[in-house]
Amino acid sequence: MRFTDEQQAFATAVREFCARECGTPAQRDELTDGGKLDTSRKLLERLAGHGWLGVSVPEAYGGAGAGMVEECLFLEETARGLAPIHAYGTGLTAAQTYLRHATEEQKKEVVGGLCQGRIEAIALSEPGAGSDLGSARLKAVADGGDYVLTGQKTWTTAAHLADHVLVLTRTATGAKKHDGLTLLVVPLDAAGVQVRPIETMAAHTVNDLYFTDVRVPSANVVGEVGQAWRHLMRGLSVERLIIAAMSLGAAERALDDVVAYVTQREQFGRTIGSFQAVRHRIADLATEIACSRALVYEVAERIDAGEEDQLAREGAMAKLKCTEVAKLATLEAMQLMGGAGYAREYGMESQVRKALAPPIYGGANEIQREIIGKSFGL
């Protein structure tokens, strides 16, 4: 697509901010407690000060009132700049459900907080319900004017940093497994909520959540009781686009770094980038990334044109393609950099670790392939 002057200026401003505020390993270590966290509250607050968080959110709820094209530019450039704000993408995903189905008070509190730099979480998966969310079992039992929650959620991103978590609960058992599911917003400081980190190969990102007789008012229902499945199915194109845009930026950063390396590293009396075997692999990566970028912004443009509910196939394609390309780009970059790619000093090993999770979360890529295949009547 052809970007407007304003959109290009916005992307440039975000790129320059990242270079200035988190462009060095030392800066990123300072922002993330030596790399232990994947999200910096301090950096989110600085971005909020520029009015860039929630750029696609309506002004009534604290955003800039722009579109998904601008939001993707922000996500792409911050990922490319290695800005430690991973939890923002999760909060932005949760915001899509709030914006469609929440009360005005919930929107102003939760979505407004996101735009101010606060962190929000969403808890869908359970030990026995990942891709099959219809099997969710965490109970929410009506008791007077409250709901009482009992059960466990897992793989919950940013729960250790968030103010609230949007929880998928079971309020009834219906004829179909997708009936009787309800969304509730739960303050993470509520009595009976326990957050335990899950150790992974990357920085602290995900958590187990345990709910023991957690009491929340019925006013905390988001949308309609028993209709969570329908609510969650709407907006999936935006969620997948958010992940795609972040992965696009990650792929671009891997390409930037490997090109910088192969144009400086010399072997056999010349730079290794001058060897055809290396040039061709760089060419293939650059082409894959260019195709991914075209797909991201085509989907973003169509969402801004009001076609969001018609993009199940394209949204799945964007998520599938960009996450796979980001994984490919980081692994290829590591190989082309040799031992330097494996060394912490150069940072590529960190990019590899971060690129391995997106093909799994937000709907595993195997599920995306199913969606795409079924869209052809297969």
Side-chain angles (χ1 to χ4, degrees):
M1 67 169 288
R2 185 179 295 276
F3 298 106
T4 66
D5 291 344
E6 291 79 7
Q7 289 167 338
Q8 290 176 332
F10 173 60
T12 298
V14 176
R15 189 180 310 129
E16 291 175 348
F17 172 93
C18 291
R20 183 174 65 251
E21 300 291 336
C22 57
T24 68
Q27 287 175 308
R28 294 191 292 274
D29 280 348
E30 182 180 353
L31 289 165
T32 60
D33 189 19
K36 295 177 183 177
L37 299 172
D38 76 346
T39 296
S40 165
R41 290 181 183 274
K42 184 182 295 185
L43 193 62
L44 283 174
E45 290 170 359
R46 292 175 190 169
L47 288 162
H50 287 276
W52 293 342
L53 296 186
V55 64
S56 64
V57 170
E59 293 181 12
Y61 308 115
M68 281 309 299
V69 169
E70 286 81 4
E71 192 70 71
C72 286
L73 287 169
F74 175 79
L75 294 167
E76 177 189 5
E77 290 298 339
T78 51
R80 189 173 188 170
L82 299 180
I85 59 164
H86 181 265
Y88 171 72
T90 301
L92 187 63
T93 297
Q96 308 311 307
T97 299
Y98 286 107
L99 288 170
R100 287 175 185 81
H101 306 294
T103 64
E104 286 297 303
E105 183 177 350
Q106 289 169 343
K107 291 176 188 177
K108 290 178 180 177
E109 169 68 18
V110 179
V111 182
L114 178 73
C115 296
Q116 294 168 18
R118 298 206 300 267
I119 297 169
E120 299 295 337
I122 182 167
L124 304 178
S125 296
E126 298 180 7
S131 296
D132 181 17
L133 289 179
S135 296
R137 299 174 60 185
L138 186 145
K139 291 182 180 179
V141 178
D143 182 23
D146 297 335
Y147 280 96
V148 180
L149 279 63
T150 304
Q152 180 186 352
K153 290 292 181 182
T154 192
W155 302 115
T156 308
T157 299
H160 56 300
L161 300 171
D163 290 349
H164 312 88
V165 58
L166 182 63
V167 184
L168 178 65
T169 70
R170 183 162 293 284
T171 49
T173 301
K176 299 178 181 178
K177 66 180 180 180
H178 296 122
D179 295 339
L181 296 171
T182 301
L183 291 167
L184 285 159
V185 55
V186 180
L188 278 158
D189 60 358
V193 177
Q194 186 178 18
V195 181
R196 292 184 188 172
I198 299 174
E199 292 188 10
T200 69
M201 63 193 299
H204 184 187
T205 304
V206 290
N207 309 269
D208 282 317
L209 292 184
Y210 297 90
F211 298 82
T212 305
D213 297 327
V214 177
R215 186 173 290 271
V216 297
S218 58
N220 285 31
V221 171
V222 177
E224 300 177 52
V225 173
Q227 297 299 312
W229 184 256
R230 180 170 60 85
H231 297 336
L232 290 171
M233 289 305 99
R234 289 202 64 199
L236 284 180
S237 295
V238 174
E239 176 186 0
R240 291 164 184 157
L241 183 63
I242 289 168
I243 297 171
M246 294 167 67
S247 293
L248 170 63
E252 290 172 331
R253 178 54 182 253
L255 180 63
D256 291 342
D257 287 356
V258 72
V259 168
Y261 182 85
V262 301
T263 54
Q264 296 177 13
R265 171 69 169 166
E266 293 188 1
Q267 289 289 279
F268 306 105
R270 60 199 242 199
T271 61
I272 62 174
S274 67
F275 289 93
Q276 185 184 72
V278 173
R279 287 203 309 269
H280 285 191
R281 289 169 79 169
I282 295 291
D284 286 344
L285 278 183
T287 302
E288 289 291 322
I289 292 170
C291 291
S292 300
R293 194 167 197 260
L295 181 55
V296 163
Y297 287 102
E298 178 190 355
V299 175
E301 268 193 313
R302 292 181 64 184
I303 288 173
D304 289 342
E307 299 179 33
E308 178 183 337
D309 293 337
Q310 305 163 35
L311 297 172
R313 177 195 296 173
E314 292 82 358
M317 285 178 171
K319 195 272 183 182
L320 170 64
K321 182 65 175 176
C322 292
T323 57
E324 295 289 349
V325 167
K327 182 169 69 172
L328 172 67
T330 57
L331 288 169
E332 281 285 85
M334 175 178 278
Q335 182 68 28
L336 291 173
M337 292 171 69
Y342 196 67
R344 294 190 66 186
E345 176 186 354
Y346 289 85
M348 190 54 64
E349 56 82 29
S350 174
Q351 293 183 52
V352 169
R353 286 186 281 112
K354 291 176 183 177
L356 296 179
I360 300 171
Y361 66 64
N365 282 359
E366 289 73 16
I367 298 298
Q368 305 308 319
R369 291 183 174 96
E370 278 290 287
I371 293 167
I372 296 163
K374 288 179 178 179
S375 74
F376 289 100
L378 303 176

